[in-house]
Each structure stands twice: as C-alpha cells, then as structure tokens.
Amino acid sequence: HWQAVAVNSAGRFVAVGYKYVSYSDDGITWATPFQVGTTTWRTIAVNSSGRFVVAGEYGDISYSNDGITWATPFQVGNVAWYGIAVNSAGRFVAVGGSGYVSYSNDGITWATPFQVGIRFRFAVAVNSSGRFVAVGEYGDISYSNDGITWATPLQVGTRRWQGIAVNSSGRFVVAGEYGDISYSDDGITWATPFQVGTPHWQAVAVNSAGRFV
C-alpha cells in the first residue's frame, strides 16, 4: 500500500508505504520494492540537495541522499507522523498525531516533538516565503513562519483536511472529507469550504502552471 511519493530535482521518484520503498528515474520503470525498517511510511519530502526524508508510524524517520541507500530508521518521539515538508533553506517539518510537530535542519537531527493544539494533522506544505501550513481533523489549520513557533490553530469548516498544496504565487489549497475544499492566499485567512463532489479527497498537488489536482 503506497502512501506517498516525492521527486527530486534530477527527476528521481521515490514511493513509500508499508515497510517498503521503490524508486524510478522516469516514473514508468520502477525498482523492485525493498524494505526499510518495519513501519508504515506515511509521508516523504526531498530538499534542494536531493536528500529524501520519510516519516511514519511510531515516530520512525529515515533519510537517503539518493532514494536507494537508506539510513537505519530512528525514532523522533513515538507518535505517528503523517505529513512532512521542507522549505528552501532545507528545514524539514513533520506533523502528526495529537498535534505533535518536530523540525530538523538536515533531516537527521530532530527537535523534541512538541504540541500545537491537540488535533491530528495529516499534511503540511510550505510556500516560497517559508510559511508552513499544517492541516488536520475537525477543520484544524495552523501556520508558522519558521516551523518552530506556531499560531494558535484555527478552524476552517468541520471536516478532516487530508491534503494541502501551494502554488508559486503562494495560494494554499486544502482538500478533505466529503469533497470539501478551501483556499487561502496567505495560509491565515481562508475561504469558506465548498464541495467538489462528495469523495473523501486524500491529497492535492499543483504543477508549475498553477493547476491544482
């Protein structure tokens, strides 16, 4: 069960899921999946230097500089990590269960997890200015300009937000349960959620032309 995928600047895709990782240099031909630890990897991000960082259940995190050779997984707290993002300076931020957040400037050494509210958060994105926005259950959204100091969570709707993406202009779009979608041009002031169909949206992405999917 693949959970997430990321691509580096050289075009290498890396997919992660239950215990396993695979990679592809074109998105078509993939390496035989191989095991990295024993956890379910929930999320992955890659910095501008090409370092991939994965996070998952029980606080587990691992990293790789090529998507092929991985460090032995290690624990950062003991919560489930569901989302990870990295800013242009290389700071990784992970978000997860019970409002926990952690950050790292290299993907290797991590801050002790701390709570920002108590809601589970399932995704995080960062804009070109370095503002992180994390989203989760019961409409919970919070933001931070450095990944360390976070605003008091605000409620945007009542549904669980599962995915978030941000375009080059800084517009954040969130998607979640029962077709709900919302957007914000700063991560602070949000449009009233509206429905696009009734599926439970799990993720959202945006291309260089600004098309959200």
Side-chain angles (χ1 to χ4, degrees):
H1 296 285
W2 299 117
Q3 297 285 319
V5 62
V7 58
N8 67 13
S9 60
R12 174 165 290 168
F13 295 87
V14 176
V16 299
Y18 176 60
K19 298 183 183 179
Y20 284 89
V21 173
S22 184
Y23 64 91
S24 170
D25 289 329
D26 59 9
I28 301 169
T29 303
W30 289 78
T32 301
F34 54 95
Q35 191 168 338
V36 177
T38 59
T39 195
T40 297
W41 298 115
R42 296 285 187 185
T43 183
I44 182 170
V46 58
N47 67 13
S48 59
S49 299
R51 174 168 289 167
F52 293 92
V53 176
V54 294
E57 302 286 341
Y58 307 108
D60 276 4
I61 287 180
S62 183
Y63 63 90
S64 170
N65 291 327
D66 59 8
I68 302 171
T69 302
W70 290 81
T72 301
F74 54 94
Q75 280 189 298
V76 176
N78 58 8
V79 300
W81 298 117
Y82 292 108
I84 191 169
V86 59
N87 66 13
S88 59
R91 175 167 289 167
F92 292 89
V93 170
V95 300
S98 301
Y100 278 96
V101 175
S102 184
Y103 63 90
S104 170
N105 291 327
D106 58 9
I108 302 171
T109 302
W110 288 79
T112 301
F114 56 94
Q115 281 183 292
V116 177
I118 60 171
R119 303 297 190 192
F120 277 61
R121 297 206 178 83
F122 299 107
V124 59
V126 59
N127 67 11
S128 59
S129 299
R131 175 167 289 167
F132 293 89
V133 176
V135 301
E137 60 183 353
Y138 301 107
D140 183 281
I141 294 179
S142 185
Y143 65 90
S144 170
N145 291 328
D146 59 9
I148 302 171
T149 302
W150 289 78
T152 300
L154 55 132
Q155 189 174 354
V156 179
T158 59
R159 309 291 195 192
R160 173 186 293 185
W161 297 118
Q162 291 282 137
I164 183 170
V166 59
N167 68 12
S168 59
S169 300
R171 173 166 289 171
F172 293 91
V173 171
V174 293
E177 293 181 312
Y178 300 100
D180 273 9
I181 286 179
S182 184
Y183 64 91
S184 170
D185 289 328
D186 59 8
I188 302 171
T189 303
W190 290 82
T192 301
F194 55 94
Q195 282 187 296
V196 177
T198 57
H200 295 302
W201 302 119
Q202 296 290 317
V204 60
V206 58
N207 67 12
S208 59
R211 176 167 289 169
F212 292 90
V213 177

